[in-house]
């Protein structure tokens, strides 16, 4: 960490300084949080009161407004982590470490939510909480990868060393996820040739699309807000750890 | 090449030279397979139907068991740090270790698999296909395992962590490995699965030494 | 022994070097130069960062700031340095001779032959023994023999005399003297006395 460096000019370098990063992005948190709240309010209003119940699934179709955005985030967060991992490995950007570390539990949470809502939805439509269909299965594997990454972070004491190692593993995972997805699809079609009901049909009325779109943005902004706050927390946690260590050394000497 | 062979011989000698690791792994494999009938019942028809899956799971778990000795002993006695300063590229050292891992933790399982074939009532054609799919698929397990072992080599709980990290990545190997044996999808499906398996193994073998070497270089101290 | 230049003349230079473990800074703003034929003794209390500095010089630990460079070193020649740390990298179930031959293959057979190196460190009589049976001091001698079988100009030694008897101390001093005479350079962290004219001392203070 570069702590005692002279102030630099370019915004990239300013962002590289953890303290500067917090100072620059803190003003963004409240407006973004407010925007997220508005989007959720609008999205939920549409979802509950201003969209039709499905003629087949009834009101349970409304689970989709949570399920689809979280499923999208489960992949978007991994992409964020993979880009941050590149930032760690190639540009050695200190905030990339922090971003990678804060995104992992968020990604795990969104993936778990996608699985939970998926099985809630599966109960009335498929008649079972869990169906080994391709999409559910690869999301489950993705959840395991997220949890593995969280565990890997926790296994290291030295966060700088951890960042580089986790970055490598994140990228290995990123290369593997399409292969896993492909293999799981291949496997599920092999074992159940009868096509299961696909929630995202090609023709969706606009009355469903509007709340879906709003909820989609609401969840994405929710992730952005949570990610920023988690990054600020992580920066502070590291500073506290540094100060504590310095104090311990001071009293020992 | 000289250094690569030196690592290969040294690790082979260490693995085979009276440590009993190989025997432990083979025993684990056989016992895991032999214990399944107690859990699912001794029904011959059922057993022979799920036998390929059992063999694959047993092989997968047994290979995970052997992961910890891939880099950890070398890390503990300082050899790994010296590899990083060696004339031989670290990736070549890792490649040699992956090969030794396969030779001492996968090949013995395949040799022992007839035992499980008898216990689990496999017919001969299924057994033959199982051996082929194990031969083609276990190199990928060894390669992924090397990545898992490399990223956890400096952590204290690495021995527990590596299998958890690696298991999700190995899902395609299991799917295509068992898919190559199963008759459900017809002969061309099984052939495709074998090809996928071979492709996975080749790609993983080619790329994993570099990823593992990077992880060691940046994670070790 | 007559002075002869065996090593291509390279020099070690560090500028504004900052190193530490994790984000704990141990050494800051360190400049050092070691010229061919010269050695540097690192001294300082425990925790002053001697081992960390050696690891950073070896490139095993990324420095937190500043830079380390080797002047006159052609990367084509392969690695320019030997690092000899606390851990001896000696494994039971491999013979003494096997162990050394292994390192000769790994690092390149550019130095003494295996038996000549074992003779030099006094292990030749037990060359056939399992390395697991060696005492701590003998293991350390085997680790030192590794420096002799592959010729590299820069030696980074961390407590080379640890676990060695007085005879072993003399051995370290004579190996170092020979290495420096041949145009090599060395950085040694130690608490023991090593009397050589070509050695300078760098004292590292404990950081509060």
């Amino acid at each position: 960490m570069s702590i005692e460096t002279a102030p630099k000019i370019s915004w990239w370098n300013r962002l590289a300084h953890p303290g500067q990063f917090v100072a620059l992005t803190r003003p963004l948190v409240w407006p973004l949080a407010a925007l997220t709240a508005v989007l959720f309010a609008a999205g939920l209003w549409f979802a509950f009161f201003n969209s039709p119940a499905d003629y087949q699934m009834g009101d349970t179709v409304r689970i989709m407004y949570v399920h689809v955005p979280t499923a999208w985030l489960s992949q978007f967060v991994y992409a964020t982590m993979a880009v941050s991992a590149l930032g760690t490995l190639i540009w050695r950007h200190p905030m990339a470490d922090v971003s990678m570390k804060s995104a992992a539990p968020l990604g795990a949470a969104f993936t778990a939510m996608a699985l939970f809502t998926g099985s809630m939805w599966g109960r009335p439509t498929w008649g079972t909480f869990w169906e080994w269909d391709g999409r559910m299965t690869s999301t489950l594997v993705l959840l395991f990868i997220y949890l593995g990454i969280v565990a890997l972070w926790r296994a290291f004491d030295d966060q700088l060393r951890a960042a580089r190692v986790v970055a490598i593993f994140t990228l290995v995972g990123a290369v593997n996820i399409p292969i896993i997805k492909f293999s799981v699809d291949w496997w599920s079609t092999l074992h159940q040739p009868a096509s299961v009901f696909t929630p995202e049909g090609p023709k969706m009325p606009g009355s469903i699309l509007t709340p879906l779109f709003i909820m989609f943005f609401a969840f994405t902004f929710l992730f952005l807000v949570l990610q920023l706050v988690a990054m600020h927390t992580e920066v502070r946690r590291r500073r506290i750890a540094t100060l504590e260590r310095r104090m311990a050394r001071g009293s020992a000497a | 090449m000289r250094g690569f062979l030196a690592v290969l011989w040294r690790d082979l000698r260490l693995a085979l030279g009276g440590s009993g690791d190989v025997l432990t792994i083979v025993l684990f494999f056989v016992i895991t397979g032999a214990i399944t009938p107690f859990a699912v019942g001794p029904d011959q028809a059922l057993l022979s139907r799920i036998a390929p899956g059992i063999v694959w799971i047993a092989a997968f778990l047994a290979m995970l068991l052997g992961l910890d000795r891939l880099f950890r002993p070398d890390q503990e006695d300082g050899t790994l740090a010296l590899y990083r300063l060696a004339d031989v590229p670290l990736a070549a050292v890792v490649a040699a270790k992956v090969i030794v891992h396969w030779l001492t933790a996968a090949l013995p399982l395949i040799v022992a698999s007839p035992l499980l074939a008898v216990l689990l009532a496999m017919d001969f054609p299924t057994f033959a296909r199982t051996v082929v799919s194990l031969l083609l698929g276990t190199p990928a397990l060894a390669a992924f395992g090397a990545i898992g072992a490399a990223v956890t080599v400096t952590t204290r709980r690495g021995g527990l962590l590596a299998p958890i990290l690696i298991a999700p990545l190995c899902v395609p190997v299991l799917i295509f490995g068992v898919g190559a044996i199963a008759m459900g999808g017809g002969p061309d499906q099984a052939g495709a699965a074998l090809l996928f398996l071979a492709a996975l193994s080749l790609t993983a073998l080619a790329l994993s030494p570099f990823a593992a070497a990077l992880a060691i270089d940046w994670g070790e101290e | 022994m007559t002075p002869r230049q065996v090593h291509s003349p390279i020099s070690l230079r560090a500028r504004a070097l900052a190193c530490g473990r994790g984000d704990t800074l141990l050494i800051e703003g360190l400049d050092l130069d070691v010229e061919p034929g010269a050695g540097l003794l690192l001294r300082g209390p425990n925790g002053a960062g001697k081992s960390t500095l050696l690891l950073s010089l070896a490139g095993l630990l990324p420095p937190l700031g500043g830079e380390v460079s080797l002047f006159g070193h052609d990367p084509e020649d392969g690695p320019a340095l030997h690092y000899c740390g606390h851990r001896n990298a000696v494994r039971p179930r491999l013979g003494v001779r096997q162990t050394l031959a292994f390192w000769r293959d790994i690092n390149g057979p550019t130095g003494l032959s295996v038996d000549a190196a074992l003779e030099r460190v006094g292990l030749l009589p037990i060359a056939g023994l399992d390395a697991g049976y060696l005492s701590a001091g003998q293991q350390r001698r085997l680790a030192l023999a590794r420096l002799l079988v592959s010729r590299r100009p820069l030696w980074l030694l961390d407590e080379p005399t640890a676990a060695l008897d007085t005879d072993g101390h003399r051995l370290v001093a004579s190996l170092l003297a020979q290495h420096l005479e041949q145009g090599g350079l060395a950085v040694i962290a130690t608490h023991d006395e090593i009397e050589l004219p070509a050695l300078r001392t760098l004292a590292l203070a404990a950081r509060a």
Side-chain angles (χ1 to χ4, degrees), chain C residues 155-166:
Chain C
W155 287 5
L156 302 170
L157 311 180
D158 197 354
E159 304 280 359
T161 50
L164 287 180
D165 51 15
T166 42

Side-chain angles (χ1 to χ4, degrees), chain B residues 2-3 6-7 10 13-14 17-19 73-79 81-88 217 220-221, chain C residues 21 58-61 78-79 81 83 87-94 98 102-109 146 152:
Chain B
R2 185 195 177 100
V7 178
R10 170 186 183 267
R13 194 171 289 145
L14 281 174
S19 71
D74 279 345
Q75 200 271 330
E76 279 167 357
D77 75 2
T79 307
L82 295 177
Y83 281 148
R84 293 169 60 198
L85 297 170
D87 224 16
V88 196
D217 216 13
E220 218 258 346
E221 69 172 45
Chain C
R21 286 172 188 266
L60 291 174
L61 197 65
L81 61 91
Y83 170 77
R87 298 170 295 181
N88 289 323
V90 170
R91 184 73 66 80
R93 290 206 303 277
L94 287 178
Q98 274 175 353
F102 167 70
W103 286 113
R104 199 164 184 264
D105 287 340
I106 292 293
N107 288 332
R146 200 181 60 228
R152 290 180 178 179

Side-chain angles (χ1 to χ4, degrees), chain B residues 4 8 26-27 33 41 47 55 79 91 96 132 154 162 170 174 192 211 213 219:
Chain B
F4 173 80
L8 202 73
V26 169
L27 277 179
L47 279 180
V55 172
T79 307
V132 171
T154 46
C170 291
L174 285 181

Side-chain angles (χ1 to χ4, degrees), chain C residues 84-154:
Chain C
C84 184
H86 295 288
R87 298 170 295 181
N88 289 323
V90 170
R91 184 73 66 80
R93 290 206 303 277
L94 287 178
V96 171
R97 189 180 272 124
Q98 274 175 353
T99 306
L100 201 55
F102 167 70
W103 286 113
R104 199 164 184 264
D105 287 340
I106 292 293
N107 288 332
T110 48
L112 298 178
S113 74
V114 169
D115 279 5
L118 284 176
E119 166 119 61
R120 186 79 177 82
V121 299
L123 290 179
L124 193 55
I126 51 169
L129 217 61
D130 186 324
Y133 297 141
L134 298 189
S135 72
Q138 287 170 323
Q139 290 196 1
R140 174 52 51 145
R141 283 168 188 254
L142 183 51
L144 289 170
R146 200 181 60 228
L147 309 184
L148 304 176
V149 290
S150 309
R151 203 177 287 285
R152 290 180 178 179
L154 173 58

Side-chain angles (χ1 to χ4, degrees), chain B residues 11-95:
Chain B
D11 281 12
L12 263 182
R13 194 171 289 145
L14 281 174
L16 301 177
S19 71
D21 280 354
V22 175
L23 186 66
T24 313
I25 288 174
V26 169
L27 277 179
F28 182 87
F29 170 71
V30 172
I31 288 175
T32 309
I35 223 166
T36 322
F38 297 111
V40 301
D43 175 14
Q44 292 270 328
L46 174 68
L47 279 180
S48 73
R49 195 158 58 82
I50 61 173
I54 296 173
V55 172
W56 258 100
I57 283 289
F60 175 58
L61 293 178
M63 284 189 74
L64 289 182
L65 193 69
L67 267 191
D68 209 34
R69 48 155 218 200
L70 205 53
F71 299 117
R72 189 168 299 273
D74 279 345
Q75 200 271 330
E76 279 167 357
D77 75 2
T79 307
L80 204 55
L82 295 177
Y83 281 148
R84 293 169 60 198
L85 297 170
D87 224 16
V88 196
L90 191 55
V93 173
V94 176

Side-chain angles (χ1 to χ4, degrees), chain B residues 128-201:
Chain B
R129 276 198 302 277
T130 307
V131 168
V132 171
S133 89
L134 280 174
L135 276 174
L136 285 179
T138 44
L141 293 185
F144 284 130
I147 295 179
V151 296
T152 57
V153 68
T154 46
T155 65
R156 277 167 285 125
R157 290 168 293 150
L160 275 174
L161 196 50
I164 290 180
L165 287 174
I166 287 314
L169 302 187
C170 291
V171 165
V173 182
L174 285 181
I175 286 178
F176 292 129
V178 179
I181 308 168
M183 287 308 281
D188 47 354
Q189 285 276 35
L194 265 189
L195 288 180
F196 282 134
L197 202 58
L200 256 179
S201 278

